[in-house]
């Protein structure tokens, strides 16, 4: 039972931001067309606000089953560790035998940021000013992704750790913004990449016509942006069934009766043409991402195809 093991270094040598964008376009287009097998995500709460997760999917009924198992531990910063750790397994579509084990952290950063950038291509293609809030791996990955989808945009970054923000800005051709409120008010697109349980921006800061994306509100108890913002926004989500139960701001807004779930638009529907955004220049728009197994399935399929062609990684016998 030979299994190909791909490290973070192996993944980064294969999975560029441009290829990540290609994989996510396929994932969400197939999702919108109803071609994927996408069961609900599993969340397992842990100590110190940590949560473990399991995503599984097939990009097509006869495609390999792919599963990502990992954890988000906000207190890891005090340990000098990243907040997210995960591993992706790929099973042979015919036999079900393990085919590959892939470092999940490197895939998650690239596929998540590529999905956000893909969404922004649909709803804010002409954005000239993009502000990324956060200084972790997701913030870096999002700056890389926007360099592909919005190459002429003015990229900005803000973080509570201003030294880290300055370092990220310098390495990504971006501008470090010290004051968050005016930066949010002036940006065309604001992308929140934090692990905060409470809003990191205020509704009043978001001016008419701004697009706000949240990748940190991936569980019901994580409310990275104010739910009140949704009541005055066009709302786009990565996948409605997951967003309705797992996106903290959306869960709160629906419970409060401040948003009609029928108004929510799926990214896959935009890509297939089944839905469109009828947005005036002064309309705010919010994009909520909780993450889906099909994103990992599409990424793993592409990564593994290239790895096998190059004979990359390490072979291990699990028998």
């Amino acid at each position: 039972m030979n299994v190909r093991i791909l490290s973070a270094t192996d993944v980064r040598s294969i999975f560029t931001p441009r290829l990540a964008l290609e994989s996510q376009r396929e994932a969400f287009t197939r999702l919108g067309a109803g071609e994927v097998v996408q069961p609900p995500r599993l969340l397992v709460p842990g100590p110190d606000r940590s949560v473990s997760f399991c995503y599984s999917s097939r990009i097509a009924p006869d495609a390999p089953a792919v599963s990502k198992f990992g954890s988000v531990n906000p207190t890891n910063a005090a340990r000098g560790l990243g907040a997210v750790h995960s591993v992706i397994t790929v099973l042979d579509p015919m036999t079900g035998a393990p085919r590959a084990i892939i470092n999940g952290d490197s895939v998650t950063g690239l596929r998540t940021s590529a999905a956000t950038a893909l969404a922004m291509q649909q709803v804010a293609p002409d954005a000239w000013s993009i502000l990324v809030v956060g200084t972790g791996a997701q913030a870096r990955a999002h700056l890389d992704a926007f360099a592909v989808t919005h190459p002429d945009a003015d990229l900005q970054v803000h973080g509570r750790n201003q030294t880290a923000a300055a370092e990220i800005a310098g390495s990504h051709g971006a501008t470090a913004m010290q004051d968050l409120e005016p930066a949010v008010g002036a940006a065309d697109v604001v992308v929140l990449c934090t692990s905060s349980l409470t809003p990191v921006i205020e509704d009043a800061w978001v001016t008419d016509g701004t697009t706000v994306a949240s990748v940190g509100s991936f569980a019901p108890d994580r409310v990275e942006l104010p739910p009140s913002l949704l009541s005055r926004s066009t709302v786009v989500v990565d996948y409605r069934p997951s967003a309705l139960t797992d996106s903290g701001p959306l869960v709160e807004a629906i419970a409060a009766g401040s948003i009609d779930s029928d108004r929510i638009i799926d990214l896959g529907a935009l890509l297939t043409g089944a839905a469109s955004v009828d947005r005036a220049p002064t309309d705010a728009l919010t994009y909520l991402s909780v993450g889906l197994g099909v994103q990992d399935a599409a990424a793993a399929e592409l990564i593994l195809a290239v790895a096998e062609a190059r004979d990359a990684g390490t072979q291990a016998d699990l028998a």
Side-chain angles (χ1 to χ4, degrees), residues 3-11 13-14 100-102 303-304 306-316:
V3 177
R4 188 176 300 273
I5 300 176
L6 299 173
S7 68
T9 300
D10 295 326
V11 171
S13 71
I14 295 170
I101 299 173
I102 305 172
I303 292 167
L304 190 53
V306 176
E308 290 175 343
R310 297 180 184 177
D311 194 24
T314 303
Q315 294 281 347

Side-chain angles (χ1 to χ4, degrees), residues 236-249:
V236 179
V237 299
D238 53 359
Y239 187 48
R240 182 198 297 256
S242 297
L244 290 175
T245 58
D246 294 336
S247 176

Side-chain angles (χ1 to χ4, degrees), residues 18 30 34 37 92 94 100 105 107 109 124 126 154 163 166 170 179 190 212 218 235 239-240 245 263 273 305:
R18 194 170 297 278
R30 284 179 174 267
V37 180
D92 184 272
M94 298 299 294
D105 302 350
V107 175
D126 301 321
D154 176 24
T163 300
D179 298 319
V190 179
V212 180
F218 59 84
V235 179
Y239 187 48
R240 182 198 297 256
T245 58
R263 292 176 45 210

Side-chain angles (χ1 to χ4, degrees), residues 62 65 70-71 74 94 127 175 186-187 189 214-215 217 233 244 246 259 273 285:
D62 58 351
S71 184
M94 298 299 294
T175 302
V189 171
S214 170
V215 299
S217 300
S233 298
L244 290 175
D246 294 336
I259 183 173
L285 185 144

